[in-house]
Amino acid sequence: MQSRQLKLIHLVILLTLFVFALSTRSYANQKDGLLKIHFFDIGQGDAIFIETPSGYQILIDGGPDNRVLQRLGEVMPFYDKDIDVVVVSHPHADHIAGLISVLDKYEVANVFEAEEDYNSSEFKAWEGAIKEEGANEIEAITGKIIDFGDGVILEFLHPFESFVGAETDKPHDDVVVAILRYNNFELMLTGDMEARIERRLIMAGYNLDSDVLKVGHHGSKTSSSEEFLSAISPEVAIIQVGEKNRYGLPTPEILKRFDDYDIKYYRNDLNGDIKLTSDGINYLISTQK
Ligand SMILES: [Zn+2]
């Protein structure tokens, strides 16, 4: 109980911005000034694990099942059973089902999500798992920033309005979108964002410029509109997609669009696990296959 209390985050309100500074951190592997991002090959779904230079650990979505546990076991030391922050992009099973097993095996301190209600068995199980875990549930909404120190911040861009407690039947409309920044490096995290939300972000006047794009909705043609690609002008796109998935993703049309925009892309179905390392200026990508 005591350690859970120590994990309570400090909340500082600066004008309209909410800045969270985390009070404790999980074990750092090594202090090397590097930000490490793993785009896990977990089948059809999203799961991204991030370790900041000072050792904060963040998991964004958990994929469709407990395969995420094996991946976490490969990148975290065996004695490390804490994760500082879990971010849920939206309540579809290919993003949250794996998180239920994560909460079972790891101590998770903070969960950021839109906190909306969704009628599915996976979502009910997920809600039950959070209650049991006793993790802090924090609303993810535009203007909130988590400050991890060392120049690393996670800045929430969407949703624009609060959906706490509201039942949704269209989770993609309320998707949690964020930019991870480490000095001059940016990663755009989109969940399953579709073109109409991409448009809202552009209209809102946000600086969307990013080095790397986590491609929205697994490379579906619902997402990655031309205007959005122009607004963020990424060098690299990462497509989280399962091998031989039944949706035929990524869509050839979208891959061609990346080629047209001179965006190099990686895919979990063909490249296996994808790892990105950044010192805040440059970045390096390595793949399992
Ligand atoms: Zn999805």
Side-chain angles (χ1 to χ4, degrees):
M1 208 54 214
Q2 182 68 15
S3 70
R4 174 64 62 201
Q5 304 247 321
L6 289 171
K7 280 181 183 168
L8 285 176
I9 52 164
H10 299 301
L11 168 61
V12 182
I13 302 171
L14 292 177
L15 300 173
T16 57
L17 291 182
F18 295 81
V19 178
F20 294 83
L22 298 158
S23 59
T24 61
R25 72 179 64 118
S26 307
Y27 303 95
N29 273 332
Q30 216 162 28
K31 259 207 163 234
D32 50 14
L34 297 176
L35 175 73
K36 301 177 188 99
I37 306 170
H38 301 266
F39 300 90
F40 288 143
D41 177 18
I42 39 74
Q44 180 57 30
D46 276 9
I48 302 160
F49 179 72
I50 299 165
E51 189 165 57
T52 74
S54 47
Y56 286 116
Q57 292 163 326
I58 308 151
L59 181 64
I60 302 187
D61 289 341
D65 51 41
N66 64 9
R67 265 175 285 185
V68 65
L69 294 180
Q70 197 185 337
R71 296 291 173 273
L72 287 172
E74 287 160 6
V75 299
M76 291 171 76
F78 72 91
Y79 51 82
D80 184 358
K81 295 293 174 209
D82 296 274
I83 294 175
D84 300 289
V85 169
V86 164
V87 177
V88 181
S89 71
H90 66 291
H92 279 152
D94 57 325
H95 298 255
I96 62 159
L99 290 176
I100 299 164
S101 55
V102 171
L103 257 57
D104 190 35
K105 293 280 186 265
Y106 290 85
E107 287 284 310
V108 173
N110 304 291
V111 176
F112 286 79
E113 58 182 344
E115 293 190 65
E116 61 190 359
D117 198 15
Y118 184 56
N119 190 11
S120 76
S121 55
E122 291 88 359
F123 187 69
K124 300 295 171 219
W126 164 240
E127 282 203 306
I130 297 180
K131 293 263 157 359
E132 201 175 308
E133 181 78 4
N136 299 311
E137 275 189 274
I138 303 151
E139 184 187 12
I141 189 164
T142 191
K144 264 186 197 173
I145 290 173
I146 312 175
D147 187 346
F148 294 99
D150 306 308
V152 179
I153 62 166
L154 186 68
E155 184 182 340
F156 292 103
L157 304 179
H158 196 266
F160 289 166
E161 47 200 294
S162 180
F163 293 104
V164 175
E167 181 158 336
T168 180
D169 56 357
K170 290 198 184 77
H172 288 180
D173 286 353
D174 314 333
V175 62
V176 172
V177 179
I179 288 191
L180 179 73
R181 299 184 191 277
Y182 178 27
N183 296 328
N184 291 326
F185 170 81
E186 302 96 16
L187 165 67
M188 173 70 70
L189 293 154
T190 56
D192 279 2
M193 174 164 58
E194 297 185 10
R196 60 190 173 281
I197 308 298
E198 296 176 349
R199 178 137 242 264
R200 289 179 81 182
L201 290 181
I202 296 166
M203 299 299 281
Y206 285 124
N207 176 12
L208 303 175
D209 188 55
S210 306
D211 300 292
V212 179
L213 164 68
K214 196 298 289 179
V215 173
H217 202 191
H218 321 286
S220 162
K221 63 181 174 193
T222 58
S223 311
S224 306
S225 62
E226 297 202 40
E227 57 179 348
F228 188 61
L229 295 184
S230 300
I232 64 175
S233 61
E235 295 167 338
V236 167
I238 311 280
I239 307 169
Q240 291 224 273
V241 70
E243 204 177 349
K244 299 191 182 96
N245 65 83
R246 63 192 159 112
Y247 311 102
L249 297 173
T251 312
E253 193 180 324
I254 294 298
L255 297 181
K256 180 176 181 302
R257 191 172 296 165
F258 292 147
D259 287 335
D260 291 345
Y261 278 75
D262 233 353
I263 300 166
K264 183 169 174 51
Y265 59 81
Y266 296 87
R267 316 165 38 161
N268 286 117
D269 59 338
L270 301 182
N271 299 118
D273 292 315
I274 299 163
K275 182 182 179 186
L276 186 152
T277 308
S278 175
D279 61 2
I281 303 164
N282 299 304
Y283 62 92
L284 196 80
I285 293 175
S286 56
T287 62
Q288 187 187 10
K289 296 181 204 165

